[in-house]
Amino acid sequence: MYEQDTRSLQQFKAQVGIKFQLYNGLFTSLPFHRIENTGILLSMLLSVCEDGFQKKLSPEQIIEDFFSRQTSIKSHAEIHDVLFRFIQYAERQVVLFDSLEDAAFKSVNDMTGPGTLKYLLNEVTAKNKKTELEQKLKDFCVQLVLTAHPTQFYPGPVLGIINDTARAITDNNVEQINTYLQQLGKTPFLKKQKPTPYDEAISLIWYLENVFYNAAGRIVTDLENIFPGQLSYNNQLIKMGFWPGGDRDGNPFVKADTTLKVADALRGSIIKCYYLDVRRLRRRLTFKGVEELLTELEEKLYNNIFIPDQRIFISKNEIVDYLTKIKSLIINEHNGLFLSLVNNLISKVNLFGLNFATLDIRQDSSILTSVMAEIVEKENLLQTAYQDLDESKKISLLTSIHHTADLTKYADITKDTLYTIASIKTIQKFNGAEGCNRYIISHTETVAHLLEVYALFILSGWKKDELNVDIIPLFETIDDLANAATVMQELYSNEMYKAHLKHRNNKQTIMLGFSDGTKDGGYLMANWSIYKAKEELTKISKSHQIDVVFFDGRGGPPSRGGGKTHNFYASMGKNISNKEIQMTVQGQTVSSSFGTVDSAKFNIEQLLSAGISNDIFSTKAITLQPEQEALLQQLAAVSNKKYIALKEHHHFMQYLNDVSPLKFYSETNIGSRPTKRGKGKLTLSDLRAIPYVGAWSQLKQNVTGFYGVGTALEQLDKEKRFNEAKELYKHSLFFKTLMDNCEMTMNKCFFPLTMHLANNELYGEIWQMIYTEFELTKSYIFKLTGRTELMSNYPVDKLSIQMRERIVLPLSTIQQYAIGKLLQMKDAPDSEKEVYQKLIIRSSFGIINAARNSV
């Protein structure tokens, strides 16, 4: 264990572990019925659970044993009442733990260590790389895209309480902490209704206003102080993206008016931030000549927020001009007093403009194809049906479209698609071109899928030479990733599209999806397929003189592209484009990794440093040597075969549907989007990746993060080639990060919870397959790393997971108890099942929230 790890672990134990025990006592005053007994009984249940699982008892046996031995409660109604109180109590303990971790962030993490800007400065100076850094900063950026994917189980008010409690803990204000915990006791976790897409947008705008606005502003100001004169205002070093209100893939509730409403909210929000900063500046800049300019600017900003017909009468450049004049006056006439405050605001305006974040539009390729088919029919563009054309004839038709469609002819999805595309002009008028300039096509499989979007823009009234919108393919499945280079090669050769790219500065953004790739092919194969796709796409793009930018669709857990993300970017060689780092930040990851200004600043710096260091310090021409690629290809292929065999087991979907909370995911009301595509019976292909991964997470089996890894490593061992894997782990940060993230996933598994299924006639075979692979993977990871415990190289993370999992062990037990009861009641009336269904749903919140990056 390194010295820094030791110090961080000591800080964590003192600032989080000990304080959790101290503040936990405050829960006895929460405004719940019989709360004193609840805390004591829950502590007893935890001990009973730990002892029971060691004895290989089932959740049902543990719960029944607890009530018969530890209480005098006999009636089912009273038992259920106590179980619900346990859930309320435990999920609020998780909130306390979250608040303690947030408050301790600066103490536990090395804020000037590797990955931070200060550390980068020392490296740049020591290695004499200032010229290279200056060049890199001219066009490099990190773009974080906030999505509305349903992975955030905390409602907005609870997130606010976590934020406030963390501040009170930092100030050691016990009275305030107690007050916030009282508030927490009265604040519901379960939403009675699903949020609308606009509700989701407003929730995430809170983070833009309260976290990213300040964190990004500080980073750029710090960089300007550290590297004076090396930052260009023409380049946004940090960009924000936004999907709520623009992402209509599988979400029928997102309409054109939703998109316009969200864009307006983003504009209003950033102007409000500037307005508040200007008001603060006025308290300091009380100087002659300066005060008058600030008053004028304040009035213009106020009018843009509160007076509708004033919205068009301000621009980003106008705000910067005001501030630049103020800056000049301060320097020349007022001794540079409070200059840093003005510079900070100028940095923010250059970062966020009038859009705050770029609102992306996303739709599934199948929907876009059906929309095009209807337009072709109603506009009489063909004598035959569009769907009957082969690929080449579709391309020929799409590139010949030059007229504007009559939008009044259409209804439903076709009308909304055309109106959405037309409304992008309105957004750009008020929010600037950056306000909405990307159209993402989910499940891109062919060149026609991209050209359909281009044609729809023309049909919606856009002129070819005015089309300042990037058309972005999203490749997701293993087959689509393998075919991505072929699609882009053909697209780059299309004359019409080449002209469009020239208009867009010969820059092509390509999105790659981790979630569906993992669901489709398993952990190793998904990550390997994305790596190979990036390698081939980089090569092809270079050959066409195109700057390719990769946009990674990452979720929270390692199985969805999360985990130690910055290490992946730091591991890339010159054979993978490193022009920008773009990635989605979803639900739980927003609050857990970017929930405070300190954590957001730290984690953004990690990404910035990874991208910059990788380019200016690395001498690697390629990420992996040919023999290393061959080895990873074999590991991926073997693990994929093992994973596919599990997926194709005839009881696979029944197992997941029956023994996990999968079927109840939509009833948690955490997102506006349905949990599956299409209608009718749930199938694996229709099931979205988030509930799929979330179900395994709540089962404490996390199949998507490890399954097949052990078998792949075992095959190498059988071939007497295991030393090759050891060398790869030792010398490849890419492979090491894959294995580290695999360990994180496995460390959140707990098979005693479901061991009662081991001999079940219906589910036993699948359970044994999963458990055997888990144990095999664990043994080979130990052999690979030389360690004897999972995650022992990340002691703070390991302890955090252990403490969190212990808090929610009673909830996991209650959930499995309720699932078991439902399985025994298949033919019972719904009224008798209802209480167990509610227990399953209510347990989900605490279990998912404790894991922080589990869905």
Side-chain angles (χ1 to χ4, degrees):
M1 194 184 302
Y2 297 107
E3 182 180 339
Q4 177 58 38
D5 288 337
T6 303
R7 191 193 72 81
S8 295
L9 187 60
Q10 288 171 345
Q11 285 292 324
F12 185 87
K13 288 177 178 178
Q15 299 295 323
V16 180
I18 293 173
K19 283 188 177 181
F20 178 73
Q21 299 304 322
L22 292 172
Y23 291 137
N24 199 30
L26 296 175
F27 277 94
T28 56
S29 62
L30 286 179
F32 293 152
H33 174 59
R34 291 161 63 183
I35 190 68
E36 314 82 18
N37 293 335
T38 303
I40 296 167
L41 286 173
L42 181 59
S43 178
M44 292 167 63
L45 176 59
L46 173 59
S47 297
V48 170
C49 288
E50 290 175 328
D51 183 58
F53 286 127
Q54 279 190 344
K55 294 176 180 176
K56 300 184 178 180
L57 299 181
S58 70
E60 187 175 355
Q61 289 172 315
I62 289 169
I63 296 295
E64 290 177 353
D65 181 64
F66 169 76
F67 280 104
S68 64
R69 291 174 180 267
Q70 307 296 336
T71 76
S72 58
I73 300 170
K74 302 297 181 186
S75 76
H76 289 302
E78 281 190 286
I79 288 172
H80 298 152
D81 177 62
V82 171
L83 291 178
F84 278 115
R85 282 194 277 127
F86 284 163
I87 292 169
Q88 283 183 315
Y89 197 101
E91 64 190 3
R92 283 157 178 80
Q93 285 182 310
V94 174
V95 170
L96 173 61
F97 197 87
D98 283 346
S99 300
L100 286 163
E101 282 202 331
D102 286 349
F105 190 90
K106 289 178 75 171
S107 301
V108 172
N109 292 278
D110 187 355
M111 304 301 282
T112 59
T116 63
L117 293 180
K118 287 187 178 179
Y119 192 89
L120 177 65
L121 170 64
N122 292 334
E123 275 195 297
V124 167
T125 304
K127 296 178 181 178
N128 195 26
K129 293 284 186 178
K130 286 191 176 182
T131 303
E132 290 85 346
L133 175 66
E134 184 176 355
Q135 192 63 33
K136 183 68 177 175
L137 291 177
K138 285 180 179 177
D139 59 3
F140 177 70
C141 85
V142 166
Q143 182 165 4
L144 301 176
V145 180
L146 307 184
T147 79
H149 288 35
T151 67
Q152 179 53 268
F153 275 66
Y154 281 134
V158 174
L159 289 167
I161 295 170
I162 292 173
N163 189 277
D164 293 340
T165 306
R167 253 183 278 159
I169 291 167
T170 301
D171 297 338
N172 206 26
N173 190 329
V174 178
E175 184 179 347
Q176 266 196 342
I177 295 167
N178 187 45
T179 302
Y180 293 143
L181 293 180
Q182 294 279 332
Q183 179 189 1
L184 186 66
K186 290 287 189 180
T187 304
F189 278 52
L190 181 65
K191 298 172 184 175
K192 292 184 178 179
Q193 294 180 322
K194 285 181 178 292
T196 66
Y198 185 72
D199 293 333
E200 292 170 328
I202 295 303
S203 295
L204 283 177
I205 286 174
W206 184 93
Y207 284 99
L208 288 175
E209 289 180 355
N210 294 280
V211 178
F212 290 103
Y213 179 72
N214 294 306
R218 286 186 197 177
I219 288 171
V220 174
T221 301
D222 287 350
L223 271 172
E224 287 169 345
N225 292 333
I226 295 170
F227 310 117
Q230 294 188 26
L231 285 187
S232 168
Y233 283 143
N234 294 323
N235 177 47
Q236 287 177 269
L237 188 64
I238 301 166
K239 296 180 183 178
M240 298 304 301
F242 207 75
W243 276 17
D247 180 13
R248 54 249 303 135
D249 175 16
N251 193 336
F253 307 110
V254 178
K255 306 290 185 184
D257 62 334
T258 314
T259 303
L260 287 166
K261 191 177 178 183
V262 170
D264 193 50
L266 286 166
R267 184 181 189 276
S269 176
I270 190 58
I271 292 177
K272 182 177 74 174
C273 288
Y274 297 154
Y275 172 74
L276 293 173
D277 267 357
V278 167
R279 286 184 63 84
R280 293 186 193 102
L281 278 177
R282 284 191 62 192
R283 295 178 64 182
R284 295 290 166 266
L285 303 183
T286 53
F287 319 137
K288 182 181 176 182
V290 173
E291 191 173 18
E292 292 82 356
L293 285 170
L294 275 176
T295 301
E296 282 182 35
L297 179 56
E298 180 187 348
E299 185 178 352
K300 289 203 171 205
L301 292 169
Y302 178 90
N303 290 344
N304 263 264
I305 299 170
F306 299 110
I307 304 177
D309 62 358
Q310 294 285 308
R311 286 175 54 196
I312 199 168
F313 298 113
I314 199 165
S315 67
K316 169 185 169 180
N317 290 338
E318 187 177 359
I319 298 171
V320 172
D321 285 345
Y322 267 102
L323 294 171
T324 303
K325 289 176 186 175
I326 291 167
K327 177 179 177 178
S328 179
L329 283 170
I330 290 173
I331 293 171
N332 295 321
E333 299 180 19
H334 303 290
N335 303 319
L337 198 56
F338 301 121
L339 180 61
S340 62
L341 299 180
V342 179
N343 282 335
N344 182 262
L345 183 51
I346 291 173
S347 297
K348 289 174 179 175
V349 176
N350 279 303
L351 279 179
F352 299 116
L354 290 184
N355 60 295
F356 218 152
T358 298
L359 181 58
D360 289 343
I361 309 297
R362 183 173 78 131
Q363 183 57 283
D364 190 83
S365 61
S366 62
I367 300 294
L368 295 168
T369 298
S370 66
V371 165
M372 182 55 68
E374 183 181 354
I375 293 172
V376 166
E377 180 186 349
K378 289 190 175 178
E379 299 288 322
N380 295 314
L381 298 179
L382 280 178
Q383 299 302 311
T384 57
Y386 177 75
Q387 297 96 315
D388 295 338
L389 298 179
D390 63 24
E391 177 76 358
S392 64
K393 288 181 180 177
K394 282 183 180 178
I395 292 172
S396 178
L397 171 67
L398 295 168
T399 54
S400 68
I401 292 173
H402 302 290
H403 73 287
T404 301
D406 180 359
L407 272 61
T408 61
K409 291 181 181 179
Y410 303 100
D412 302 327
I413 188 68
T414 301
K415 178 182 178 181
D416 190 71
T417 299
L418 293 171
Y419 270 106
T420 297
I421 292 172
S423 69
I424 293 174
K425 286 185 178 180
T426 304
I427 296 170
Q428 291 189 353
K429 176 182 177 183
F430 290 108
N431 295 27
E434 289 285 324
C436 187
N437 63 0
R438 310 192 332 162
Y439 200 112
I440 300 164
I441 308 154
S442 300
H443 294 111
T444 300
E445 296 175 343
T446 66
V447 171
H449 284 157
L450 288 125
L451 295 181
E452 282 168 355
V453 170
Y454 186 93
L456 286 169
F457 270 87
I458 304 303
L459 289 162
S460 300
W462 286 76
K463 305 299 182 186
K464 290 183 179 181
D465 57 352
E466 296 175 356
L467 183 47
N468 58 347
V469 177
D470 295 324
I471 299 171
I472 301 175
L474 168 51
F475 299 105
E476 300 177 83
T477 67
I478 301 301
D479 287 344
D480 291 346
L481 288 164
N483 195 43
T486 303
V487 170
M488 296 310 296
Q489 173 82 285
E490 186 179 348
L491 186 68
Y492 289 154
S493 301
N494 181 277
E495 291 301 322
M496 185 182 74
Y497 196 78
K498 271 204 292 189
H500 172 65
L501 281 180
K502 187 175 181 181
H503 182 62
R504 300 299 292 157
N505 298 316
N506 285 322
K507 174 182 168 184
Q508 174 68 55
T509 302
I510 298 174
M511 188 173 181
L512 304 164
F514 284 78
S515 301
D516 281 288
T518 302
K519 175 181 159 235
D520 186 37
Y523 177 64
L524 276 184
M525 180 55 86
N527 279 276
W528 173 245
S529 297
I530 287 172
Y531 169 79
K532 287 302 292 179
K534 284 185 176 183
E535 185 179 49
E536 292 174 26
L537 288 165
T538 300
K539 184 178 178 181
I540 286 167
S541 299
K542 279 182 180 178
S543 71
H544 287 269
Q545 288 84 50
I546 301 297
D547 285 331
V548 67
V549 173
F550 295 120
F551 176 18
D552 292 339
R554 295 182 181 273
S559 59
R560 295 185 54 237
K564 305 293 181 183
T565 307
H566 59 279
N567 284 341
F568 280 116
Y569 296 114
S571 72
M572 295 295 108
K574 309 293 184 187
N575 61 321
I576 304 292
S577 174
N578 185 32
K579 189 83 174 173
E580 299 178 14
I581 290 176
Q582 294 188 12
M583 57 181 279
T584 55
V585 183
Q586 303 177 7
Q588 279 185 313
T589 313
V590 179
S591 57
S592 61
S593 296
F594 303 93
T596 66
V597 173
D598 288 332
S599 62
K601 185 173 181 291
F602 181 82
N603 285 305
I604 293 171
E605 284 189 17
Q606 293 286 317
L607 291 169
L608 283 168
S609 182
I612 293 170
S613 300
N614 174 270
D615 198 48
I616 68 176
F617 297 137
S618 175
T619 57
K620 288 194 303 183
I622 54 176
T623 309
L624 298 163
Q625 297 299 320
E627 63 275 13
Q628 293 176 322
E629 284 210 359
L631 185 62
L632 264 171
Q633 173 64 51
Q634 178 182 329
L635 290 171
V638 174
S639 69
N640 173 249
K641 185 178 179 182
K642 183 73 174 178
Y643 176 74
I644 295 300
L646 176 70
K647 277 206 316 181
E648 291 179 348
H649 190 285
H650 54 288
H651 290 316
F652 180 78
M653 272 307 294
Q654 187 174 0
Y655 177 88
L656 193 60
N657 208 41
D658 286 357
V659 306
S660 83
L662 176 64
K663 68 180 82 169
F664 302 103
Y665 199 92
S666 62
E667 294 178 45
T668 57
N669 290 335
I670 62 167
S672 65
R673 193 171 71 165
T675 58
K676 71 183 188 74
R677 298 178 175 92
K679 298 177 180 179
K681 186 179 178 183
L682 180 65
T683 64
L684 186 57
S685 60
D686 287 337
L687 179 61
R688 291 192 173 278
I690 290 170
Y692 178 71
V693 172
W696 288 116
S697 171
Q698 291 185 74
L699 261 181
K700 301 298 176 188
Q701 294 181 0
N702 288 328
V703 160
T704 51
F706 74 85
Y707 200 86
V709 174
T711 296
L713 292 171
E714 182 186 44
Q715 181 62 37
L716 271 188
D717 200 17
K718 287 178 180 178
E719 296 172 8
K720 310 296 184 187
R721 298 172 56 207
F722 195 75
N723 277 339
E724 293 179 35
K726 282 189 169 183
E727 287 297 303
L728 186 63
Y729 182 81
K730 183 179 178 182
H731 296 293
S732 168
L733 180 59
F734 175 72
F735 182 63
K736 182 181 184 300
T737 305
L738 275 177
M739 293 298 101
D740 287 351
N741 281 347
C742 181
E743 286 188 58
M744 182 191 295
T745 300
M746 295 178 70
N747 209 37
K748 294 180 181 181
C749 292
F750 185 65
F751 280 89
L753 178 70
T754 51
M755 192 169 280
H756 60 285
L757 301 171
N759 298 313
N760 184 283
E761 184 178 346
L762 190 59
Y763 313 119
E765 187 176 354
I766 291 184
W767 190 92
Q768 291 287 359
M769 288 170 70
I770 297 168
Y771 178 65
T772 301
E773 184 64 21
F774 174 84
E775 289 295 320
L776 182 67
T777 303
K778 186 167 69 170
S779 67
Y780 271 102
I781 280 181
F782 291 160
K783 189 172 182 178
L784 181 71
T785 63
R787 297 188 290 269
T788 56
E789 288 185 352
L790 294 172
M791 287 189 73
S792 58
N793 54 330
Y794 292 103
V796 173
D797 292 347
K798 178 181 174 66
L799 181 57
S800 174
I801 290 170
Q802 285 176 343
M803 293 184 71
R804 287 172 172 279
E805 293 298 310
R806 192 165 187 266
I807 292 169
V808 295
L809 181 59
L811 299 194
S812 296
T813 307
I814 291 168
Q815 188 179 72
Q816 276 299 310
Y817 159 78
I819 287 172
K821 285 290 189 183
L822 277 184
L823 287 174
Q824 297 167 24
M825 301 169 64
K826 282 193 172 180
D827 299 324
D830 290 343
S831 57
E832 293 180 22
K833 297 177 182 178
E834 186 178 2
V835 68
Y836 296 108
Q837 292 169 345
K838 286 183 177 179
L839 281 170
I840 294 167
I841 295 165
R842 291 296 288 112
S843 299
S844 295
F845 286 78
I847 297 168
I848 293 292
N849 287 332
R852 292 214 112 170
N853 71 340
S854 57
V855 290

